Amino acid sequence: MKRILTIQDISCVGKCSLTVALPIISAMGVECCVIPTAVLSNHTAFGGFTFRDLTQDIEPICQQWKKEKISFDAIYTGYLGSFEQIELMFKLIEDFGGKDTITIVDPCMADNGKLYSGFTPDFAKKMAQLCGKAHVIVPNLTEASFLLGLPYKDSGYDKDYVENILKALAETGAKKVVLKGVDFNNGKLGIATYDSKTQDISWYFHEKMPERFHGTGDIFASVLTGALMRDFPLDKACRLAADFVVQSIKKTLEHGDYNWYGVDFESALPKLIWELNKTKS
């Protein structure tokens, strides 16, 4: 069984970050190890929350793992809350990123044209350096704009614009780029991928859902990572991840009293496992 290490925060209530990564990756038949970067009572979309920073625990955990000679097939970083945590990821990748270890960076820092609270353009520049160490990066269009220092376009762009964004992101050093949230205002939402080695670009468009929910980007990245560990090619891994997000939203909307803070991904897991096995058979 392959083993993934994922590094991101955990909210005790709220379906995002480690709360979704751990069950999804495990359900996909991959061992999921974690380093929590912070513990929150609930995620930040609630009216208030408690927060405990765990930055100081990261290095001792890694030192203990080195003593135990623990290794990983993939390192997957999600939300990182500070410059210091990004710096620690450089060291972690150096220590545990062997020649056969895939590094996936989801630069969780922005959406809808704005950086998350507490982040700055300088933070985005630092995140771009981390992306340069990755085999696969998974930004949305807002994050891509901040990584590149470009104005954000929420509409009016075409395929040429998206392809230029993909290639510019690859110039950070990332070997493969997955760009989420491509929207040509045709009732579909798309994923665009770019392989810097082959220069191949692929597209996948799926149904655009009527509601937006917190944590769907984390769900997408978790399924993508699990699928790559199950030896899916990047384009098929993206399709599996995107379809699972759509299915999870549909399951959520079936409930009249659904939770606003996250999607009902748990009910969609049997479908994910079925699709995983069907596609690989």
Side-chain angles (χ1 to χ4, degrees):
M1 180 180 290
K2 291 187 177 179
R3 178 189 293 146
I4 290 171
L5 167 62
T6 183
I7 309 101
Q8 46 192 311
D9 64 283
I10 186 164
S11 294
C12 300
V13 173
K15 301 181 183 185
C16 63
S17 300
L18 285 181
T19 314
V20 301
L22 180 55
I24 288 173
I25 292 170
S26 298
M28 296 180 74
V30 181
E31 181 181 350
C32 186
C33 304
V34 304
I35 293 182
T37 57
V39 178
L40 291 79
S41 57
N42 41 269
H43 65 55
T44 57
F46 285 78
F49 57 92
T50 66
F51 177 89
R52 182 175 295 275
D53 187 352
L54 299 179
T55 302
Q56 300 307 312
D57 295 290
I58 296 174
E59 183 61 22
I61 289 171
C62 291
Q63 290 301 320
Q64 182 59 36
W65 285 350
K66 287 169 70 176
K67 291 178 184 177
E68 300 289 345
K69 295 181 170 50
I70 294 171
S71 61
F72 304 97
D73 297 290
I75 297 169
Y76 156 35
T77 69
Y79 183 94
L80 301 171
S82 65
F83 285 91
E84 185 178 1
Q85 289 187 354
I86 294 178
E87 285 290 350
L88 286 167
M89 293 307 101
F90 289 115
K91 181 68 163 55
L92 187 150
I93 291 169
E94 180 181 339
D95 287 345
F96 295 100
K99 65 177 183 178
D100 297 322
T101 303
I102 297 173
T103 302
I104 300 105
V105 173
D106 185 2
C108 302
M109 61 180 180
D111 204 359
N112 298 317
K114 297 180 180 179
L115 287 164
Y116 294 153
S117 176
F119 291 157
T120 65
D122 284 339
F123 182 86
K125 290 179 182 178
K126 195 68 177 179
M127 184 63 78
Q129 293 176 19
L130 182 62
C131 288
K133 299 293 185 181
H135 294 87
V136 183
I137 62 172
V138 196
N140 59 37
L141 267 172
T142 299
E143 290 158 347
S145 298
F146 280 106
L147 289 170
L148 297 172
L150 297 174
Y152 169 68
K153 284 189 176 184
D154 63 350
S155 62
Y157 53 81
D158 57 16
K159 280 195 171 184
D160 286 341
Y161 173 81
V162 174
E163 290 182 2
N164 287 333
I165 291 286
L166 291 169
K167 293 173 183 177
L169 288 169
E171 289 176 3
T172 65
K175 293 178 175 60
K176 296 180 181 180
V177 180
V178 176
L179 186 61
K180 304 175 294 184
V182 177
D183 189 350
F184 294 131
N185 295 316
N186 59 359
K188 300 284 187 179
L189 205 58
I191 311 295
T193 69
Y194 177 68
D195 186 320
S196 63
K197 182 177 181 180
T198 64
Q199 299 187 344
D200 289 338
I201 294 175
S202 67
W203 302 84
Y204 180 62
F205 289 89
H206 58 82
E207 180 181 357
K208 187 176 181 180
M209 301 305 294
E211 298 283 348
R212 293 173 62 90
F213 290 92
H214 300 283
T216 52
D218 300 329
I219 291 171
F220 178 93
S222 298
V223 176
L224 174 71
T225 302
L228 292 175
M229 288 296 94
R230 294 289 301 268
D231 298 322
F232 275 59
L234 184 63
D235 59 340
K236 289 186 178 179
C238 287
R239 287 198 291 272
L240 186 73
D243 288 346
F244 181 69
V245 170
V246 170
Q247 183 68 16
S248 297
I249 294 174
K250 286 182 176 180
K251 287 288 186 183
T252 306
L253 296 176
E254 288 175 4
H255 307 296
D257 59 345
Y258 59 79
N259 292 321
W260 60 269
Y261 57 77
V263 296
D264 185 9
F265 74 90
E266 298 93 338
S267 295
L269 281 173
K271 175 72 169 175
L272 172 64
I273 296 168
W274 183 83
E275 289 287 349
L276 184 71
N277 294 327
K278 181 191 75 170
T279 305
K280 290 300 291 180
S281 61

